[in-house]
Structures are given as C-alpha cells and as structure tokens.
Amino acid sequence: MKSGLITIKDIARELKISPSTVSRALKNHPDISEETKKAVNELARKSNYQPNAVALSLKQRRSNTIGVIIPEIVHYFFSSVISGIEDVAYDAGFNVIICQSNEKYNREVVNTRTLLANRVDGILVSISKETSDFDHFNKIRENQVPLVFYDRVVPGFDADQVIVDDLEAAYLATKHLIDAGRKKIVHFAGPQNLLIGRHRKEGYIKALREAGLEVRDEWIIEADNFEKARIAVLNILEDKIQIDGLFAVNDLTAIGAMQTFQKKGIKIPGQIGIVGFSDGRLSGITDPTLTSVDQHGYEMGTIATEMLLHRIFSDESNPKYETKVLNANLIVRESSVL
Amino acid sequence: MKSGLITIKDIARELKISPSTVSRALKNHPDISEETKKAVNELARKSNYQPNAVALSLKQRRSNTIGVIIPEIVHYFFSSVISGIEDVAYDAGFNVIICQSNEKYNREVVNTRTLLANRVDGILVSISKETSDFDHFNKIRENQVPLVFYDRVVPGFDADQVIVDDLEAAYLATKHLIDAGRKKIVHFAGPQNLLIGRHRKEGYIKALREAGLEVRDEWIIEADNFEKARIAVLNILEDKIQIDGLFAVNDLTAIGAMQTFQKKGIKIPGQIGIVGFSDGRLSGITDPTLTSVDQHGYEMGTIATEMLLHRIFSDESNPKYETKVLNANLIVRESSVL
DNA sequence: TCGCTCTCCGCAAACGTTTGAAATAATACT
DNA sequence: AGTATTATTTCAAACGTTTGCGGAGAGCGA
C-alpha cells in the first residue's frame, strides 16, 4: 500500500511475462529477445521504474553504502572532509550515510550500531573527544566491515588511517614564530587524550628545543576554544607572564586569544605573533588575518574514501594496515609577520 | 561470504530451532517459552547480533530513513539545520541520509533519484541556487513519498514548507538601525533571483519607508560576499557617499564591510552601525561583535523533520500542505549600538 | 521421424526478517 | 481413554531482485 514505486513484478504483470525476464531484459541479457527488451525498457521508462536498492542490498549482501562517523559537521574542516568523501564515493557508485557523534562517546557507539545494522560496506571514523574506550571499533572489525580512521585516530589501534602530520605542522608553525625572532612562545593546547592534541604539543616542543629555547610548563596551557582562550589570556596578563608568541591548537582558540590581547592594547603581530591551526573560514576574516595550518580536509576525505573502497573491493582476510600521512602546510598571514 | 554479521538463521541453526522462533523470542512474544527466550537472547547477545535493517526495510516496506538534500553543509546555517534534523529523526528511530547538491541542479536530480532508489520514507529539500526546473520534485510526489521544503523553497510549488520570515527580519534589522537615529542606511543586497535576496531587500525598503526616510537607488548595492563588500565600501568612500548605517544580506558581507571601514579609520559602531544576517559562528568573534539575524537553523531542522514525520505516519492521500514561518530574530551586539 | 542445437523464457531458490496459520506436544477435564 | 484446551513450535509466504537450471518450441540435418 505504501510505496507507490513501481517494481519489476509490476512490469512483469503488466506485460504478462515473468519477473526474471524483466530483470534480464533490463540488463540487456542476450537470452532475451529484442522485442521483449524493447517492451520492457519502454514500460520501465514510462512508469519511471527505479530498481529497489534495498532489495538489491539484501540480495547481493552489499549495500553500496559507506558510513561516516564525524564529530561535528559545523566545523569547516569536517565539512570539507565530507565533501571529499562524497565526491569519491559517488563516483564509485556508493552512497554515504553521515552520523554525527557530537563529540559524545555514547552517540558514537550508537552510530556504529546503526551503521552495522544498515550493513554499510565500510566505515570512516574520526573519534569524538570523549572516546577512550574502543570496543565498538573492535566490533566493526569482528564483523569484517572495513574501517578507516581519518584525522582523529585511535592511538595503538592497528588500522588503516589517514592523518595530517600534526607534529610536523605544529613544528613548522612554532618554528615560523621563532624564525621571526620570538623567544617566549606560549602554546594553547588541546585535550591530551586525543592524539592530535599531543602531537601538536610535541611539535611545539620540538621546535623550541631545536632552537635551544627553554620549554616552560607555564607556557603550555590547556585551552581549546574561544572562551577558554579568553580566560587563559587574561590569566597570562594578570600574572604578567611575558610572552611574544602564541601557537594555538585551533583557529577559534587563536582568535579568542588575539582579540583578548588586542582589547588589552597589545599589538598583534607587533608585540605578540599568533599562529592557529586548521585553516577554515575564520582565518581570512580576522584583523589581522590569522596565520594558520591548512589541514587539507577535502583531500583527506578523498584519500580516506579511496583507501576504504580499496579495502571493500579487495577483501583480503589478513590485511596489513596502512597509514597515510598528509603534510599540512602553513599559510602565513598577517598575525605572525613582523 | 562477505558480511560476517550474525543472522537470525545462524542463531536458529546453532540452537536447532526455527528462525521464526528466534524472531519471536527476540521480541519477547508470549508464545515462546521462557527457556527458549533465555537461550536465544543469550546467544544473540554473546554473538553480538544486530538485526539486518536492510531485510527489515524490505519486509516492512519502510526504511525508517529520511533523505535530506542540502545545498552545502559547509555553511553554519545548513549544518545547524542538519543537527536539528538528526536529533528529531534519531529520537523517532529514523536514520538520515544527507546528500549535498553543491548548488548544482544536476546533482540535485541525481540526489532525488538516489533517495528514491533507497526507498527513504520521506525527503527534506532545500533547493540549489541553480534549480529552476522542478520535475524531479513532482516525481517524488508521484511516488507518494512525503516531501518537505525548508528555507529555500520552490515558489509556486504547493507543498509543505518551513521558512524564516526574511522580510520581517530584514525589516527589524533596518528598523534597529533607524531607532538608533541613523538616517542614511545602505543595503548590501543578495542576488535578486533568489527569493531570500528579494525579501531581505524588501524588508529594508519597508523599514525606510515606514520611518519616512527616502530610499535611494545608490544605497542599494549588490554585494553578497566578503570581497564584494570590500570593493563596495571602497567605492562608497571614494565617492564620498555619506552614510551612517549598513544592513548586509549576510554576515560575511557585513564583516568584509566592517573591516574595510575600520581600516579606513571609520569607527564602528560610532560612525556607522552595521547589521548582518544569518547568525553564524562569525558574528560573535569579530571586533566589534556583529549584530545579526538568528535564522534558527537548528529549530528549522527540527520543525521540518517533525512535519515530515507527521506526513509519513498519517498517510492521507490528499493532504493540504502547510507552510510554517519561523520569525527570525535580531541578535543585537556591538556593531550597531551607540 | 528422430535427435540435436538454438532461442527465448519461466521456475525456484536465495538474501534476512516477520507473521498468520497450521502442527505438534503437553496438560487438563470429563 | 477420549477429547478439549493450552503452550510451544514450525511452515510457508512475502518484501524485490538476481541467477542457475531446466523446458518449450522452432529449425535443421540425417
């Protein structure tokens, strides 16, 4: 009663032939006479027949669908990843189901359940900030569903992954500040349970060490959003900690810091040079424009999807997992240049 | 060979009972003995059984999935709409398939085909900038699949829709500038072939007329992005057009204008008051923060989805379509307040 | 006329699940 | 013991497709 959509059976009934003949006629099978083919194709076109993808999925045990678990699509970076994923998937005839975890562990677990229940052929995951238990990912693997992590990967979990070289990018960002002669550089760090948070901090430290600068604990502050940055800056100013540079774990944090400094009369980049991370829509519209790291979201999406499709098609039982590292590059703008 | 996922049949075989018994045991059917239920549930849990949603969809001719066609998720507004959609859909036990049209008509047509082929139970659409032929939407309707438009609707197409009152919002935005005593207010307008562009201009004009202010053609400038705004402002300054207010068709335009004014030494909001449209991530982080119109993307998503679900459940054959108008409201921030 | 080869088509089973109806087994009642 | 009742389980069909196999009919050579 529901779906008014035409089926092969409907066509068969109408033409007084069997469903199998219709099926074969539609795929131009040599066994079927030209006459029959013509009749079938004509009626199919006329009645706007669309093969029922659900029935196909069931029959072929392949849904031609890939699932994506993503923290939050509101971020420019993640939505560009999705665009990359979609483009590659569509070209390969695959559909995409996107699930937001909203940075919640629970939602992420539900998401994987949903995707498995819908028999997606493969899953792309970027883990939520909360996630520290990885059993749900094991479940995916137990069910032999190909899995590729992108950007936010699980430390120590042997799997395909595509990431940006956060450490190197953070190193370059910090080095860029050092090269401009800055010596007292603060890092606003992300949560240290995420690999990206750790790597960015390590890159910062590496650059400092390499330049023979001391690494002070009070220069590493956990602040990864606009508001926390504001508070952190106020604390710095109150404590009269002298600094001349800031490398922030993401752009929003950098911008929050920059504005707070500016409101207190501190000149950017004159007195303090600032570099963000994860180049988005924001960095180009601040004043001064913000030096930042381009994470190549779109490219990451395409590469991750290609890896996944490759796994889907060549289903080896014992794959050796690959890690693809994109080198992010620094986009130098006004906020850091003297 | 593929999906290693456990099925009801597997459980039945293992327990040497029939699939129907397993099915009933899993749903706690009274016909099944406690003993059997226990055995089934135990094995199901142990082997991590997930009902095959694909088979279910086929059987029940309902996929419990809704399809969403969206121009581009990179925009804050659209991604908040998606969040609203997802939250309502999930609560109702529905999945969501998101398709980006990327503002392309062709892609939009393919998207509808894909969604129909996958037998989604309903479709939410915001049309692309390119779309001027609506046959694909008729096809959706012919197939009796419920359809709700959100934000970008099809003029003259009788259907369920949820939109914001752009005209009213633009009127309020302009009136807000007038109430602060500003009399020479410019409008940076969007493309006039889109309804939203026209409505926002009309709201601006209405506010001016109502206040007895003259509406000058040279005060209405087509500029709807950061760069065009920059150029438009430079032209204004060069021509020494005296103004004291600006209402822009979107935030990015407002910000482009604001920064250009500031660079030329003009004080915002002191000399010129600025109001944007479509409250996003940007408006809170500019300096001064930007007065703007909150379009309630999340709410729009929830309402559109509720309408759609309602249609899905009560399938009347001859529905009378509804239009829901959200009144967008002005978020007053620093850029407009004297 | 028989047998062989083509050409074209239909049957039936399968994918995983649900569900009305029928079957079986166990128990109760007379 | 015979029958009715209840409890528990299985059968079979269906959702829309695909596909191996078998079959009908035609054409043809011997």
Side-chain angles (χ1 to χ4, degrees), chain B residues 73-131:
Chain B
I73 56 176
V74 281
H75 298 112
Y76 179 80
F77 170 69
F78 283 126
S79 43
S80 9
V81 174
I82 289 182
S83 292
I85 293 172
E86 282 197 336
D87 283 354
V88 172
Y90 284 0
D91 283 352
F94 274 68
N95 284 109
V96 177
I97 297 184
I98 297 161
C99 297
Q100 288 191 77
S101 65
N102 285 319
E103 302 284 10
K104 300 276 174 245
Y105 165 74
N106 281 335
R107 191 94 175 225
E108 192 176 276
V109 173
V110 173
N111 289 158
T112 74
R113 230 199 311 274
T114 303
L115 293 177
L116 287 179
N118 282 279
R119 300 305 193 260
V120 294
D121 296 330
I123 299 183
L124 294 169
V125 179
S126 200
I127 68 172
S128 88
K129 279 184 183 164
E130 271 187 20
T131 304

Coordinates of all heavy atoms in Angstrom, one line a residue, chain B residues 73-131:
Chain B
I73 N 26.9 21.8 3.1 CA 26.9 21.7 4.5 C 28.0 22.6 5.2 O 28.1 22.8 6.4 CB 27.1 20.3 5.0 CG1 28.3 19.7 4.4 CG2 25.9 19.5 4.7 CD1 28.6 18.3 5.0
V74 N 28.9 23.1 4.3 CA 30.0 24.0 4.9 C 29.4 25.2 5.6 O 30.1 25.8 6.4 CB 31.0 24.4 3.9 CG1 32.0 23.3 3.6 CG2 30.4 25.0 2.7
H75 N 28.2 25.6 5.3 CA 27.7 26.8 5.9 C 27.1 26.5 7.2 O 26.4 25.5 7.4 CB 26.6 27.4 5.0 CG 27.1 27.8 3.7 ND1 26.8 27.2 2.5 CD2 28.1 28.8 3.3 CE1 27.5 27.8 1.5 NE2 28.2 28.7 2.0
Y76 N 27.4 27.4 8.2 CA 27.0 27.2 9.5 C 25.5 27.0 9.6 O 25.0 26.1 10.3 CB 27.4 28.4 10.4 CG 26.9 28.3 11.8 CD1 27.7 27.5 12.7 CD2 25.8 28.9 12.3 CE1 27.3 27.4 14.0 CE2 25.4 28.8 13.6 CZ 26.1 28.0 14.4 OH 25.7 27.9 15.7
F77 N 24.7 27.8 8.9 CA 23.3 27.7 8.9 C 22.8 26.3 8.5 O 22.1 25.6 9.2 CB 22.7 28.7 8.0 CG 21.2 28.5 7.8 CD1 20.3 28.7 8.8 CD2 20.7 28.0 6.6 CE1 18.9 28.5 8.7 CE2 19.3 27.8 6.4 CZ 18.5 28.1 7.4
F78 N 23.3 25.8 7.4 CA 22.9 24.5 6.9 C 23.3 23.3 7.9 O 22.6 22.4 8.1 CB 23.4 24.2 5.5 CG 22.6 24.9 4.5 CD1 23.2 25.8 3.6 CD2 21.2 24.8 4.5 CE1 22.4 26.5 2.6 CE2 20.4 25.5 3.5 CZ 21.0 26.3 2.6
S79 N 24.5 23.5 8.4 CA 24.9 22.4 9.3 C 24.1 22.4 10.6 O 23.9 21.3 11.2 CB 26.4 22.3 9.5 OG 27.0 23.6 9.7
S80 N 23.7 23.6 11.0 CA 22.8 23.5 12.2 C 21.4 22.9 11.8 O 20.8 22.3 12.6 CB 22.6 24.9 12.8 OG 23.2 25.9 12.1
V81 N 21.0 23.2 10.6 CA 19.7 22.6 10.2 C 19.9 21.1 10.3 O 19.0 20.4 10.8 CB 19.4 23.0 8.8 CG1 18.1 22.2 8.3 CG2 19.1 24.5 8.7
I82 N 21.0 20.6 9.8 CA 21.2 19.1 9.9 C 21.2 18.6 11.3 O 20.6 17.5 11.6 CB 22.5 18.7 9.2 CG1 22.4 19.0 7.7 CG2 22.9 17.3 9.5 CD1 23.7 18.6 6.9
S83 N 21.8 19.3 12.2 CA 21.8 18.9 13.6 C 20.3 18.7 14.1 O 20.0 17.8 14.7 CB 22.6 19.8 14.5 OG 23.9 19.7 14.1
G84 N 19.5 19.7 13.7 CA 18.1 19.7 14.1 C 17.4 18.5 13.5 O 16.7 17.8 14.2
I85 N 17.7 18.3 12.3 CA 17.1 17.1 11.6 C 17.4 15.8 12.3 O 16.6 15.0 12.6 CB 17.5 17.1 10.1 CG1 16.9 18.3 9.4 CG2 17.1 15.8 9.4 CD1 17.5 18.5 7.9
E86 N 18.7 15.7 12.5 CA 19.2 14.4 13.0 C 18.7 14.1 14.4 O 18.2 13.0 14.7 CB 20.8 14.4 13.1 CG 21.4 14.2 11.8 CD 22.9 13.8 12.0 OE1 23.5 14.2 13.0 OE2 23.5 13.2 11.1
D87 N 18.6 15.2 15.2 CA 18.1 14.9 16.6 C 16.7 14.4 16.6 O 16.4 13.5 17.3 CB 18.3 16.2 17.4 CG 19.7 16.5 17.8 OD1 20.6 15.6 17.6 OD2 20.0 17.5 18.4
V88 N 15.9 15.1 15.8 CA 14.4 14.7 15.8 C 14.3 13.3 15.2 O 13.6 12.4 15.7 CB 13.6 15.7 15.0 CG1 12.2 15.1 14.8 CG2 13.5 17.0 15.8
A89 N 15.0 13.1 14.1 CA 14.9 11.8 13.4 C 15.4 10.7 14.3 O 14.7 9.6 14.4 CB 15.8 11.8 12.1
Y90 N 16.5 10.8 14.9 CA 17.0 9.8 15.8 C 16.1 9.4 16.9 O 15.8 8.3 17.2 CB 18.4 10.2 16.4 CG 19.5 10.1 15.4 CD1 19.3 9.7 14.1 CD2 20.8 10.4 15.8 CE1 20.3 9.6 13.2 CE2 21.9 10.3 14.9 CZ 21.6 9.9 13.6 OH 22.7 9.8 12.7
D91 N 15.5 10.5 17.5 CA 14.5 10.2 18.6 C 13.3 9.4 18.1 O 12.7 8.7 18.8 CB 14.0 11.6 19.2 CG 15.1 12.2 20.1 OD1 16.1 11.5 20.4 OD2 14.9 13.4 20.5
A92 N 13.0 9.6 16.8 CA 11.9 8.8 16.3 C 12.3 7.5 15.7 O 11.6 6.8 15.1 CB 11.2 9.7 15.2
G93 N 13.6 7.2 15.9 CA 14.1 5.9 15.4 C 14.4 5.9 13.9 O 14.4 4.9 13.2
F94 N 14.6 7.1 13.4 CA 14.9 7.2 11.9 C 16.3 7.5 11.6 O 17.0 8.2 12.4 CB 14.0 8.3 11.3 CG 12.6 7.8 10.9 CD1 11.7 7.5 11.9 CD2 12.3 7.8 9.6 CE1 10.5 7.0 11.5 CE2 11.0 7.3 9.2 CZ 10.1 7.0 10.2
N95 N 16.8 7.0 10.5 CA 18.1 7.3 10.1 C 18.0 8.5 9.1 O 17.0 8.8 8.6 CB 18.8 6.2 9.3 CG 19.2 5.1 10.3 OD1 18.6 4.1 10.4 ND2 20.3 5.4 11.0
V96 N 19.2 9.1 8.8 CA 19.2 10.2 7.9 C 20.3 10.0 6.9 O 21.4 9.7 7.2 CB 19.5 11.5 8.7 CG1 19.6 12.7 7.8 CG2 18.5 11.8 9.8
I97 N 19.9 10.2 5.6 CA 20.9 10.2 4.5 C 21.0 11.6 4.0 O 20.0 12.2 3.6 CB 20.5 9.2 3.4 CG1 20.4 7.8 3.9 CG2 21.4 9.3 2.2 CD1 20.1 6.8 2.8
I98 N 22.2 12.1 4.1 CA 22.3 13.5 3.6 C 23.0 13.6 2.3 O 24.0 12.9 2.0 CB 23.2 14.3 4.6 CG1 22.6 14.3 6.0 CG2 23.6 15.7 4.1 CD1 23.5 14.6 7.1
C99 N 22.4 14.3 1.4 CA 23.0 14.5 0.0 C 23.3 16.0 -0.2 O 22.4 16.8 -0.1 CB 22.1 14.0 -1.0 SG 21.7 12.2 -0.9
Q100 N 24.5 16.3 -0.6 CA 24.8 17.7 -0.9 C 24.5 17.9 -2.4 O 25.0 17.1 -3.2 CB 26.2 18.0 -0.7 CG 26.6 18.1 0.8 CD 28.0 18.7 1.0 OE1 28.2 19.9 0.8 NE2 28.9 17.8 1.3
S101 N 23.8 19.0 -2.7 CA 23.7 19.3 -4.2 C 24.8 20.1 -4.6 O 25.0 20.3 -5.8 CB 22.3 20.0 -4.4 OG 22.4 21.3 -3.8
N102 N 25.6 20.7 -3.7 CA 26.7 21.6 -4.1 C 26.2 22.7 -5.0 O 26.9 23.1 -5.9 CB 27.8 20.8 -4.8 CG 28.6 20.0 -3.8 OD1 28.9 20.5 -2.7 ND2 29.0 18.8 -4.1
E103 N 24.9 23.1 -4.8 CA 24.3 24.2 -5.5 C 24.2 23.8 -7.0 O 24.0 24.7 -7.8 CB 25.1 25.5 -5.4 CG 25.3 26.0 -3.9 CD 24.0 26.6 -3.4 OE1 22.9 26.5 -4.0 OE2 24.1 27.2 -2.3
K104 N 24.3 22.5 -7.3 CA 24.1 22.2 -8.7 C 22.8 21.5 -9.0 O 22.4 20.6 -8.3 CB 25.2 21.2 -9.1 CG 26.6 21.7 -9.0 CD 27.1 22.5 -10.2 CE 28.4 23.1 -10.0 NZ 28.4 24.6 -9.9
Y105 N 22.1 21.9 -10.0 CA 20.8 21.3 -10.4 C 21.0 19.8 -10.7 O 20.2 19.0 -10.2 CB 20.3 22.1 -11.6 CG 19.1 21.3 -12.3 CD1 17.9 21.3 -11.7 CD2 19.3 20.7 -13.5 CE1 16.8 20.6 -12.3 CE2 18.3 20.0 -14.1 CZ 17.0 19.9 -13.5 OH 16.0 19.3 -14.1
N106 N 22.0 19.5 -11.5 CA 22.2 18.1 -11.9 C 22.4 17.2 -10.7 O 21.8 16.1 -10.6 CB 23.4 17.9 -12.8 CG 23.0 18.4 -14.2 OD1 21.9 18.3 -14.6 ND2 24.0 18.8 -15.0
R107 N 23.2 17.6 -9.8 CA 23.4 16.8 -8.6 C 22.2 16.7 -7.8 O 21.9 15.6 -7.3 CB 24.5 17.6 -7.8 CG 25.1 16.7 -6.6 CD 26.3 16.0 -7.1 NE 27.0 15.3 -6.0 CZ 28.3 15.3 -5.7 NH1 29.1 16.0 -6.5 NH2 28.7 14.7 -4.7
E108 N 21.4 17.7 -7.8 CA 20.1 17.6 -7.1 C 19.2 16.6 -7.6 O 18.5 15.8 -6.9 CB 19.4 19.0 -7.1 CG 18.3 19.2 -6.2 CD 17.7 20.6 -6.2 OE1 18.3 21.5 -5.6 OE2 16.8 20.8 -7.0
V109 N 19.2 16.5 -9.0 CA 18.3 15.5 -9.6 C 18.8 14.1 -9.3 O 18.0 13.2 -9.0 CB 18.3 15.7 -11.2 CG1 17.6 14.6 -11.9 CG2 17.7 17.0 -11.5
V110 N 20.1 13.9 -9.4 CA 20.7 12.6 -9.0 C 20.4 12.3 -7.6 O 20.1 11.1 -7.3 CB 22.2 12.6 -9.3 CG1 22.9 11.3 -8.8 CG2 22.6 12.8 -10.7
N111 N 20.5 13.2 -6.7 CA 20.2 13.0 -5.3 C 18.8 12.5 -5.1 O 18.6 11.5 -4.4 CB 20.4 14.3 -4.5 CG 21.8 14.8 -4.4 OD1 22.1 16.0 -4.2 ND2 22.8 13.9 -4.5
T112 N 17.9 13.1 -5.8 CA 16.5 12.6 -5.6 C 16.3 11.2 -6.1 O 15.7 10.4 -5.5 CB 15.4 13.5 -6.3 OG1 15.5 13.3 -7.7 CG2 15.7 15.0 -6.0
R113 N 17.0 10.9 -7.2 CA 16.9 9.5 -7.7 C 17.5 8.5 -6.7 O 16.9 7.5 -6.4 CB 17.7 9.4 -9.0 CG 16.9 8.8 -10.2 CD 17.8 8.3 -11.3 NE 18.8 9.3 -11.7 CZ 18.5 10.2 -12.7 NH1 17.4 10.3 -13.2 NH2 19.5 11.0 -13.1
T114 N 18.7 8.9 -6.2 CA 19.3 8.0 -5.2 C 18.4 7.8 -4.0 O 18.2 6.7 -3.5 CB 20.6 8.7 -4.7 OG1 21.4 8.9 -5.8 CG2 21.3 7.8 -3.7
L115 N 17.8 8.9 -3.5 CA 17.0 8.7 -2.3 C 15.7 7.9 -2.6 O 15.4 7.0 -1.8 CB 16.6 10.1 -1.8 CG 17.7 11.0 -1.3 CD1 17.2 12.4 -0.9 CD2 18.4 10.3 -0.1
L116 N 15.2 8.1 -3.8 CA 14.0 7.3 -4.1 C 14.4 5.8 -4.3 O 13.7 4.9 -3.8 CB 13.4 7.8 -5.4 CG 12.6 9.1 -5.3 CD1 12.0 9.5 -6.6 CD2 11.4 8.9 -4.3
A117 N 15.5 5.6 -4.9 CA 16.0 4.2 -5.1 C 16.2 3.5 -3.8 O 16.0 2.3 -3.6 CB 17.3 4.2 -5.9
N118 N 16.7 4.3 -2.8 CA 16.9 3.7 -1.5 C 15.7 3.7 -0.6 O 15.7 3.4 0.6 CB 18.0 4.5 -0.8 CG 19.4 4.0 -1.3 OD1 19.9 3.0 -0.9 ND2 19.9 4.8 -2.2
R119 N 14.6 4.0 -1.2 CA 13.3 3.9 -0.6 C 13.2 4.6 0.8 O 12.7 4.1 1.8 CB 12.9 2.5 -0.4 CG 12.8 1.6 -1.7 CD 11.8 2.3 -2.7 NE 11.5 1.4 -3.8 CZ 12.0 1.5 -5.0 NH1 13.0 2.3 -5.2 NH2 11.6 0.7 -5.9
V120 N 13.7 5.9 0.8 CA 13.6 6.6 2.0 C 12.1 6.9 2.2 O 11.3 6.9 1.3 CB 14.3 8.0 1.9 CG1 15.8 7.8 1.9 CG2 13.9 8.8 0.7
D121 N 11.7 7.1 3.5 CA 10.3 7.2 3.8 C 9.8 8.7 3.6 O 8.6 8.9 3.6 CB 10.1 6.8 5.3 CG 10.4 5.3 5.5 OD1 10.2 4.6 4.5 OD2 10.8 5.0 6.6
G122 N 10.8 9.6 3.4 CA 10.4 11.0 3.3 C 11.6 11.8 2.9 O 12.8 11.3 3.1
I123 N 11.4 13.0 2.3 CA 12.6 13.7 1.8 C 12.4 15.2 2.3 O 11.4 15.8 2.2 CB 12.7 13.6 0.3 CG1 12.9 12.2 -0.1 CG2 13.8 14.5 -0.2 CD1 13.1 12.0 -1.6
L124 N 13.6 15.8 2.7 CA 13.6 17.2 3.1 C 14.5 17.8 2.0 O 15.6 17.4 1.8 CB 14.3 17.3 4.5 CG 13.5 16.8 5.7 CD1 14.3 16.8 6.9 CD2 12.2 17.7 5.9
V125 N 14.0 18.9 1.5 CA 14.8 19.6 0.4 C 15.0 21.1 0.6 O 14.0 21.8 1.0 CB 14.1 19.4 -0.9 CG1 14.9 20.1 -2.0 CG2 14.0 17.9 -1.3
S126 N 16.2 21.6 0.4 CA 16.4 23.0 0.2 C 17.1 23.1 -1.1 O 18.1 22.5 -1.4 CB 17.4 23.5 1.3 OG 17.3 24.9 1.5
I127 N 16.4 23.8 -2.0 CA 16.9 23.8 -3.4 C 18.2 24.5 -3.7 O 18.6 25.4 -2.9 CB 15.8 24.3 -4.4 CG1 15.6 25.8 -4.2 CG2 14.5 23.6 -4.2 CD1 14.7 26.4 -5.3
S128 N 18.8 24.1 -4.7 CA 20.1 24.7 -5.1 C 19.9 26.0 -5.8 O 18.8 26.3 -6.2 CB 20.9 23.8 -6.0 OG 20.5 24.0 -7.4
K129 N 20.9 26.8 -5.8 CA 20.8 28.1 -6.5 C 20.5 28.0 -7.9 O 19.9 28.9 -8.5 CB 22.1 28.9 -6.3 CG 22.3 29.6 -5.0 CD 23.6 30.4 -4.9 CE 23.7 31.0 -3.5 NZ 25.1 31.5 -3.2
E130 N 20.9 26.9 -8.5 CA 20.7 26.7 -10.0 C 19.3 26.3 -10.4 O 18.9 26.5 -11.5 CB 21.7 25.6 -10.5 CG 23.0 26.1 -10.9 CD 23.8 24.9 -11.5 OE1 23.2 23.9 -11.9 OE2 25.0 25.0 -11.6
T131 N 18.6 25.6 -9.4 CA 17.4 24.9 -9.8 C 16.3 25.8 -10.3 O 15.9 26.7 -9.6 CB 16.9 24.1 -8.5 OG1 17.9 23.3 -8.1 CG2 15.7 23.3 -8.9

